[in-house]
Amino acid sequence: MKKIIIYIICGATTLLTSCDASLLDIQNENTLSTGVFWKTESDIEAGLVATYAMFYRQGTWTRNIYTQMNGMADDGVSYAGWTELNEYTKFIFTDYNFSECNTKIWREHYTAIFRANQVLDNIGNVTFTNESHKNDLIGQAEFLRAFYYFYMTVLWDNVPLVLKTSSAADKPVQATADEVLTQIEADLEDAFTKLPSTRDSENTGRPTKGAAYGLLAKAYMQHHKWEEARKCLEWIVDGEGKNYYDLVSNYGDNFSNKTENNKEALYEIHFSLAHRVGFDQTDNYLDPNAQLGTQIEMNQAPTGIGWNNIEARRWLVDYFKRERTTDGKYDERLFYTLWYDGAATDFPEHPNQLIYGAPWNSDWGNRVFIKKYSTDALPLYYWNDNNFRSLRYADMLLLYAEALNELNTAPPAKAIECLNRVRNRVKLPNIQNSTYYNGTQITTNKDAFREHLKIERALELAMECVRWIDLKRWNIDDEATLNELKTRDSDFNNFIISKSIRMPIPQSEVDNNPNLNQNNQY
Amino acid sequence: MKPIQMYKERQAVNKKLHWLIISICLLMCSFDLYAQINVTGTVKDNNGETLPGVSILTKEDGRTHGTTTDINGKYELKVNQGAILEFSFIGYATQKVKVGNANVINITLEPENKMLDEVVVIGYGSVKKKDLLGSISTVKEDALAERVSGNVVEAMRGLTSGVKITSSGQPGSGATINIRGLGSLTNNNPLFIIDGSYAGSELGVNVEDIESIQILKDASSAAIYGSRAANGVVIITTKQGKEGALKVKFDSQITLSWLPRYDLMDAETYKIYDNRAYDEAILAGVSGVTKRQNHYDGNTDWQEEMLGTGVLQNYNVSLSGGSKTVKYYASLNRMADDGALLNTSYDKYGFRINTSGQKGLFSYGENLYYTKSDRKDLNGNPWSNFISMPPTIPVYDESHSGGFGYGDVDRANSYGLNPVAMQELYKSNNEEEYLIGNIFGQISLFNMLEAKLNFAYKSYMGVTNSLRKKGNWTMGQGDDAAHLGYSSAQYHDILIEQTYNFKHKFGKHDVNALFGISYNKFHQEYRWITKLDPLTIGDKYITSLDAATGNTTAGGNYSKSALISYLGRINYAYNDKYLVQLTARRDGTSRLPKDNRWGDFFSASLGWRISNEEFFNIPWINDLKIRANYGTLGNSSIGYWDYQSTINTAPRAVLGNSDNVLIGMTQSQLSNNDLVWEKKTTTNIGFDMAVLDSRLRLSAEYYYAKSKDLLVYLPILMSSGNEGGSPAVNAGSLENRGFEVELGWNDQIGKDFAYSASVNLSHVKNKVLNLGYGQDVYYTSLAKTEIGKALGAWYLYKTEGIFQSEEEVQSHVNSKGKVIQPNALPGDIKYNDYNDDGIISSEDRQICGSPWPKLELGVNLGASYKGFDLSINGYGRFGQKIWNGAAATAGDFANNQNNFNGIVPWTQEHPVNDRPRIVYGDSRNSRSDQDRWLENGSFFRLSDITLGYTVPTHYIKRIGLEKLHASVTLQNLITFTGYSGLDPEFADSGIFQMGADNCSFPNPRAVQFALSFTF
């Protein structure tokens, strides 16, 4: 019997040895693994495209940035039926994990930064046939990283600086707004040296030297580094940039999908309706067919037509109407910026203004809706292809004026000239000849000039996501300014000094990162 | 059939034959040496049926002789007066009768109390229950028979200790099962073994086909399944044919079910409250609110629109029988569940063929199960929509695309989703097919060695067809193109297993050794297609893909994995008193990186049957055994390639002109490349006792389990830029300790009345010993998990009632006299300033209770009198806190949602202290992370009450029936709880936030009528 047992055991052993451990080596070929990627020029190029792809997100430039940036500023207000979203624009932050206007923006900005970091970390290991192409790609990645950090610090001030490809265990350290701006400046200074001055028509949407300096100027301005800002703006207005940039004659061309990539745009975020589907990459990040359009129209279209998440404050209309053009008409910027009751009489040359095919609804009463970036879509479609003019030459002219004014004891001629260029384009007289403003005082007094720039910028750049940046730069964190803001926008009644100037950081992020503190008083 | 069972039965048959031959010989050779009498009689069972084949033996002068009863249960035997006759028959208690003067001795044999000889399946074998060293619960077919459920797991509810089962409440969707709390943080599903093949779930096995379910709860029992068993093992054994003539069994059940409903306001009441909320908002100056809503004039009861009576029909026919060499069991099952929710249903067919046979040394068996089901899916969660949809909105509205009513800025400013529209505009149909089978061959040598080759195969094919019609179900919804969707998933799972089992008894030594190797391979393919713009004929959409004219998009991927295992086990018993079991298993998995692929798992168990000791002399204790074990189990049930970072090729961007779409590639999801096996070590001590003629049984045990290197998809920081789900990580360790007690009583009073009662109690407490990425604490939006504490304690803002006056607002100050909520108005909530800094901020959240029950209880009562039988099952959980998401969703009218009847919000005239004033457009009072939504979740539920009747045999014999049983069952009709939500028992949403009732699906209430007969 023992023999038989031995035979069986031997037999068994023979069978068992047939189970080879290599049966466990199973490859995943559903996609590439990171180990085989980042080896060629085209890999780096694709990595960069993936960074551009972050523009088409709900938390970036498809939707929520507009609500939050315009909503917090004094030119915008939200009467959205979604109470939390509405409250978030009114400095009533109840749930710090509120996805739509807080965690989504935070998360998707960091996703964009992660993608830019991958390009920057891997490009050094790839041999390029053309060194300037390599530099161009580095410059683009730096620009995009700086771009996202800029909006992060505008919203939250104190955010962690992540500058290397992330790993799961990272607990990045919080940086101050000052440190974040310094990093943005470093990225953009370098990007400026690497980027080309112009792009062919196949490559618009990629930043140029002008875009880098435009954004850098904004960063320096925010940092109150007037001299550095002046240097960039000078390049744009009076230096090499003079060859590429100017105001377009028709103010409205800045917001139309028919006049994109014109000479007034230093940087445009490109949108397209090439993918006509009902979802975007936020909801379906693994679907290559996701939307490439923007929902800016849907987001701001009036009650009953769009979501109406954001609209304008009435004071804009009043301010526009204080001054007449040289031919005695109302400022055409009002016409291109807003929809309001009475527009038809104010602009008799446009008697039949329709809002996505609808006439003014008397239920809307005194309300003012945003017309900028509206298209002639009829009916209003969920997405549109209108490029967002992120850096506009008019903005640069006014910033240049502001920087020069700050650097001098009184506004220099150049500053006044820049201001007047912006005004003249819409047929407003030189500020010296204004029928409403005290031109003499404005052109001679530094403070008066600054105060006027605050108004001129509000009107020129209304509802373009710059007002909140401006308010922060001018420091609204004091009682006097706050009281003035309250007269224009009652949302500021909820504003608490040294608290509301920045948003609450998403609570889950603060809770789970020991190196990150919640912003003051939240 | 399990080999050991077969072996035993064969032995029994051999024994019988053996005795028959001997007795015949003896009879033939017997001489009339003594004064003998001729005894005759009939042997019957307790039901009065005659018993053929009963052996009757007697010992005379050292010689044994005897006879057996004939086909009519009659016997005849010549014995000396005063001899003792021993009547024995398998399954019945042996009776001894002294032969007196009577020539006729009729005997009624009582069924044996089989408890102690019960066989328990332990994986690759079985042991007698009395020799069991591990912690195993058994559920028998009788207990399952009358459960109102087509789902095996649901049917097991409350029947055993330490097992928590939660059903999802949707037709055709499975229930979750947790054995002894949470052992793992990724996957807490136990391993299912169905007739020897591995399965991830119960795979739609037909409840009627089940003979027994064994639940292996501790490391020593489950150790033979090593790497896959960290969450316990559920072994399902299906019915096998029994020797004898063809038996046909027919079962049918009809179940009427309905779902509990919220007590929501109707349109009239809603308008009163909503107007008040607007008035309050206008008064408080909420910006943009200038007038009340111009309400729609509908009066919709959304629950009435969506909920009806579910009708579930279940029919089952089985055929079984066999000879000594071949046995068979075949069944056909049909289930049709017309769901209680609008447009939902589940339809299933299944058939099974189990055969087994033996010839000489060789035996074989085969189990084959095929099932096909068809489910109409539910789109979204209607339970939250019932609350968020204002009742003023009409169901239908011709002015909207698609024709359904929903919010409107002016008339009902609500983003609620119309549940009827969701169900009508999006249709999804899921068809699934399973083929599960195994075949084995076995050679037995010398009654001590068995070599077995088992081949198991599982195949699955699932197809989902969907149709999105044009139209909207909520305000501001995008203008989606109509489209058709098709997706299919299919997999094959192959298992090849060889086992060698040596079994022998040498004197007092009883050895049973097992050795085996197994190879398991899995391959899945997934594909999907979406095609836009299906053609329509009138209102009807054509659903053939060819009939759609728009763009087509498609995708697909595959998944593969393999597992190689070596396993061994030795059971040794000395003199039926000292028991030892040692188990070892070595597993290699393809799901871990090459260097960390192999894991070793050992366990050891000891048992001591005190009742068999000489010194043990307590007559009323029939059996007493103490046992202890220690062992390690593993888990690697993570994704197929979680250790690998991959490139996402989906990003696209437009540069240049708007048709210039460029392809982007990048890493989106982070990964940890150093993953290792998760291991769980359990220590278990317990005892089993049978007392008072084995009528009372008691098992109790205590266990301590520690999991290490837990594999978990621990959420990581958003600042990492990670997308597409948190990466798997070996994150820290977790401890579970608890006790379980099972107490059972069985008795019979007189001939007709029998009753039984059993209670099981369990308590489990978990503690986090370590968290991933070096964290000390991990937060979700409602809960906090901290090292040294239980998982997911509620972490919320504490409320202190309602401000009744402006003075009260001003006097709510911190220790330095700072007014904490200066902007509050009378009627607002007073929050606790936990950190005393004078403002309410995120620092003021605090621990507010535990989501974990302190005690779980199951009660099963049974009684039978003549033909009637009654069983009552109930279970409960006590001491846990539930976050009532429905109440939080209803909130306080901040968003125009509906609310519950009977709420009394604060008003100047009626200043209550538990519910704030209602204000439209102000979310501060209704924030979800406040303790006002936390409730005591204790409950006890009478889950099943069944009354049945078995028609006496003599009535039905005439029409050829053997057994006829009818019953009625009431399910979930009575629940004792203080919880104000729909159901205190619901499917949890994630381990770090257990006990959050996010408008979960409630369990249905049901009445079932069942009829079963055998012929």
Side-chain angles (χ1 to χ4, degrees), chain A residues 1 4 8 12 15-16 19-21 23-34 37 46-47 49-50 52-53 56-57 79 81-84 87 90 92 94 96-97 103 106-107 110-111 114-115 118 162 166-172 201-206 270-272 274-275 278 281 285-289 292 298 303-304 307 382 491 506-509 511-513 518 521-522, chain B residues 287-288 409 413 415 445-446 448-449 476-480 498 500 502 515 517 519 528 532 553 557-558 560-564 566 588-590 594 597-598 641 644-658 660-670 672 716-721 723-724 727 773 775 777-779 781 839 841-842 845 894-895 920-924 927:
Chain A
M1 189 193 81
I4 291 169
I8 287 172
L15 285 168
L16 296 180
C19 232
D20 189 340
L23 289 169
L24 300 176
D25 296 329
I26 297 175
Q27 297 308 315
N28 177 12
E29 287 170 356
N30 286 309
T31 177
L32 302 173
S33 74
T34 48
F37 198 69
V49 170
Y52 286 104
Y56 317 110
R57 292 297 184 101
Y79 295 133
W82 187 349
T83 297
E84 283 206 294
E87 289 180 334
K90 298 182 166 54
I92 302 172
T94 304
Y96 305 159
N97 287 319
T103 57
W106 176 278
R107 186 178 60 240
Y110 274 114
T111 302
F114 174 43
R115 292 183 178 187
Q118 290 181 62
V162 181
S166 312
S167 66
D170 289 350
K171 302 277 182 257
S201 63
E202 279 296 286
N203 286 293
T204 55
R206 296 185 194 266
H270 279 43
F271 292 106
S272 159
H275 292 173
Q281 282 241 344
Y285 88 109
L286 284 177
D287 197 320
N289 302 299
L292 301 166
M298 190 70 194
T303 302
W307 296 326
Y382 212 49
D491 293 351
Q507 191 61 36
S508 66
E509 198 78 345
D511 283 342
N512 294 310
N513 182 357
Q518 184 53 279
Q521 295 189 53
Y522 283 104
Chain B
S287 79
V409 178
N413 200 356
Y415 284 98
L445 295 169
F446 320 112
M448 63 173 85
L449 185 73
Q477 190 178 9
D479 182 30
D480 273 9
Q498 304 165 49
Y500 302 88
F502 173 80
F515 178 72
I517 175 166
Y519 170 61
W528 61 267
L532 302 181
T553 49
N557 57 52
Y558 70 86
K560 278 182 180 181
S561 69
L563 184 76
I564 297 174
Y566 300 91
T589 177
S590 65
K594 202 162 183 175
R597 209 162 253 177
W598 290 91
W641 292 287
Q644 223 173 48
S645 322
T646 56
I647 295 297
N648 173 9
T649 59
R652 296 289 181 274
V654 183
L655 294 168
N657 74 59
S658 70
N660 190 23
V661 179
L662 301 176
I663 296 170
M665 297 191 198
T666 192
Q667 180 183 358
S668 281
Q669 195 178 10
L670 292 171
N672 291 295
I716 60 173
L717 295 175
M718 289 184 271
S719 57
S720 66
E723 267 194 311
Y773 303 121
Q775 274 171 256
V777 57
Y778 174 72
Y779 296 84
S781 60
I839 54 169
S841 71
S842 53
R845 293 169 299 165
N895 273 312
Y920 168 73
D922 185 336
S923 67
R924 283 172 288 194
R927 61 184 309 149

Side-chain angles (χ1 to χ4, degrees), chain B residues 72-185:
Chain B
N72 295 317
K74 294 204 162 29
Y75 71 94
E76 192 176 349
L77 188 65
K78 275 188 179 150
V79 289
N80 289 327
Q81 269 189 352
I84 291 167
L85 295 184
E86 196 177 299
F87 294 80
S88 63
F89 190 62
I90 283 191
Y92 289 84
T94 300
Q95 272 193 44
K96 289 178 183 172
V97 178
K98 196 171 179 181
V99 180
N101 294 323
N103 281 26
V104 178
I105 300 176
N106 290 332
I107 293 290
T108 301
L109 289 181
E110 293 294 332
E112 196 171 25
N113 187 332
K114 289 188 290 185
M115 198 279 298
L116 292 178
D117 286 321
E118 207 176 279
V119 168
V120 175
V121 179
I122 56 169
Y124 303 100
S126 58
V127 293
K128 282 190 171 175
K129 189 158 186 179
K130 68 183 173 74
D131 292 339
L132 197 61
L133 292 173
S135 174
I136 298 183
S137 293
T138 304
V139 178
K140 299 296 244 184
E141 64 177 294
D142 347 345
L144 293 171
E146 276 141 10
R147 286 311 183 93
V148 181
S149 178
N151 177 299
V152 179
V153 174
E154 260 177 62
M156 284 157 57
R157 269 192 316 194
L159 295 177
T160 64
S161 63
V163 179
K164 180 181 167 191
I165 289 161
T166 316
S167 53
S168 71
Q170 285 188 71
S173 68
T176 56
I177 171 167
N178 283 334
I179 297 174
R180 284 189 170 172
L182 294 173
S184 167
L185 299 177

Side-chain angles (χ1 to χ4, degrees), chain B residues 775-851:
Chain B
Q775 274 171 256
D776 298 332
V777 57
Y778 174 72
Y779 296 84
T780 63
S781 60
L782 299 174
K784 177 181 182 182
T785 296
E786 208 176 342
I787 290 176
K789 307 259 172 67
L791 273 166
W794 296 116
Y795 192 62
L796 305 166
Y797 290 92
K798 266 193 184 158
T799 58
E800 296 177 341
I802 307 295
F803 287 118
Q804 300 296 342
S805 62
E806 185 55 37
E807 295 81 71
E808 217 175 298
V809 172
Q810 294 306 325
S811 62
H812 183 43
V813 292
N814 72 346
S815 59
K816 290 183 186 124
K818 183 170 184 229
V819 177
I820 295 164
Q821 291 169 256
N823 296 329
L825 295 174
D828 282 340
I829 289 176
K830 186 199 267 188
Y831 290 105
N832 178 279
D833 180 23
Y834 185 57
N835 71 348
D836 196 38
D837 65 351
I839 54 169
I840 298 302
S841 71
S842 53
E843 300 293 310
D844 295 314
R845 293 169 299 165
Q846 47 193 306
I847 300 288
C848 293
S850 164

Side-chain angles (χ1 to χ4, degrees), chain B residues 876-897:
Chain B
R877 292 180 209 136
F878 306 93
Q880 73 278 27
K881 284 256 172 76
I882 297 178
W883 178 82
N884 186 345
T889 303
D892 296 294
F893 284 92
N895 273 312
N896 288 325
Q897 66 276 49

Side-chain angles (χ1 to χ4, degrees), chain A residues 82-367:
Chain A
W82 187 349
T83 297
E84 283 206 294
L85 177 132
N86 169 325
E87 289 180 334
Y88 244 71
T89 69
K90 298 182 166 54
F91 311 107
I92 302 172
F93 305 105
T94 304
D95 176 5
Y96 305 159
N97 287 319
F98 179 55
S99 169
E100 198 64 15
C101 288
N102 205 17
T103 57
K104 214 182 255 178
I105 300 178
W106 176 278
R107 186 178 60 240
E108 295 191 326
H109 277 65
Y110 274 114
T111 302
I113 289 161
F114 174 43
R115 292 183 178 187
N117 285 339
Q118 290 181 62
V119 173
L120 291 169
D121 284 354
N122 289 295
I123 195 166
N125 305 324
V126 177
T127 328
F128 277 70
T129 47
N130 179 340
E131 196 64 17
S132 72
H133 181 48
K134 181 176 186 174
N135 279 333
D136 183 7
L137 298 179
I138 293 173
Q140 291 179 51
E142 285 172 336
F143 174 85
L144 290 170
R145 180 165 74 179
F147 184 91
Y148 283 102
Y149 271 122
F150 183 72
Y151 286 94
M152 291 208 77
T153 195
V154 157
L155 292 172
W156 292 282
D157 277 348
N158 312 300
V159 301
L161 271 178
V162 181
L163 301 169
K164 286 279 157 210
T165 302
S166 312
S167 66
D170 289 350
K171 302 277 182 257
V173 177
Q174 190 164 26
T176 61
D178 183 67
E179 289 164 340
V180 177
L181 285 170
T182 305
Q183 173 59 39
I184 291 167
E185 289 152 11
D187 266 344
L188 292 170
E189 288 285 6
D190 193 57
F192 178 81
T193 64
K194 293 189 161 71
L195 291 169
S197 297
T198 54
R199 296 283 182 192
D200 59 26
S201 63
E202 279 296 286
N203 286 293
T204 55
R206 296 185 194 266
T208 54
K209 283 192 193 304
Y213 259 7
L215 185 57
L216 182 56
K218 292 189 103 151
Y220 280 137
M221 291 295 287
Q222 224 51 22
H223 217 165
H224 294 190
K225 291 183 175 173
W226 312 115
E227 176 52 34
E228 289 85 343
R230 191 201 57 78
K231 175 198 74 180
C232 302
L233 294 161
E234 185 180 43
W235 185 94
I236 293 167
V237 177
D238 291 326
E240 192 190 333
K242 207 174 175 177
N243 304 319
Y244 320 124
Y245 308 113
D246 197 358
L247 295 172
V248 291
S249 55
N250 179 13
Y251 178 75
D253 286 354
N254 287 305
F255 318 107
S256 161
N257 55 350
K258 299 192 183 78
T259 48
E260 291 165 342
N261 298 310
N262 59 43
K263 61 186 175 184
E264 191 164 340
L266 283 84
Y267 189 67
E268 285 187 12
I269 297 173
H270 279 43
F271 292 106
S272 159
L273 286 175
H275 292 173
R276 283 189 82 97
V277 291
F279 56 88
D280 56 34
Q281 282 241 344
T282 293
D283 291 334
N284 218 341
Y285 88 109
L286 284 177
D287 197 320
N289 302 299
Q291 265 293 342
L292 301 166
T294 173
Q295 295 180 316
I296 186 168
E297 272 182 300
M298 190 70 194
N299 197 55
Q300 66 194 22
T303 302
I305 296 175
W307 296 326
N308 185 227
N309 282 338
I310 186 75
E311 60 193 76
R313 283 281 177 191
R314 186 81 199 184
W315 65 265
L316 280 174
V317 177
D318 303 337
Y319 276 43
F320 272 123
K321 288 170 79 171
R322 297 193 301 202
E323 216 183 349
R324 296 284 178 132
T325 59
T326 46
D327 48 7
K329 294 179 180 167
Y330 284 119
D331 187 343
E332 67 174 11
R333 293 182 298 187
L334 170 59
F335 172 77
Y336 286 111
T337 304
L338 303 168
W339 273 308
Y340 60 100
D341 192 13
T345 39
D346 290 346
F347 295 95
E349 62 274 34
H350 303 284
N352 299 314
Q353 288 186 44
L354 293 178
I355 304 166
Y356 304 103
W360 181 263
N361 181 337
S362 61
D363 278 358
W364 295 333
N366 210 15
R367 294 169 70 175

Side-chain angles (χ1 to χ4, degrees), chain A residues 24-87:
Chain A
L24 300 176
D25 296 329
I26 297 175
Q27 297 308 315
N28 177 12
E29 287 170 356
N30 286 309
T31 177
L32 302 173
S33 74
T34 48
V36 301
F37 198 69
W38 305 117
K39 304 286 188 208
T40 65
E41 283 188 45
S42 66
D43 291 350
I44 298 293
E45 281 162 8
L48 192 60
V49 170
T51 316
Y52 286 104
M54 288 307 296
F55 286 136
Y56 317 110
R57 292 297 184 101
Q58 293 169 16
T60 63
W61 295 91
T62 292
R63 188 197 287 177
N64 293 328
I65 278 271
Y66 307 112
T67 314
Q68 200 55 30
M69 295 282 290
N70 289 327
M72 285 196 295
D74 60 341
D75 55 352
V77 59
S78 173
Y79 295 133
W82 187 349
T83 297
E84 283 206 294
L85 177 132
N86 169 325
E87 289 180 334

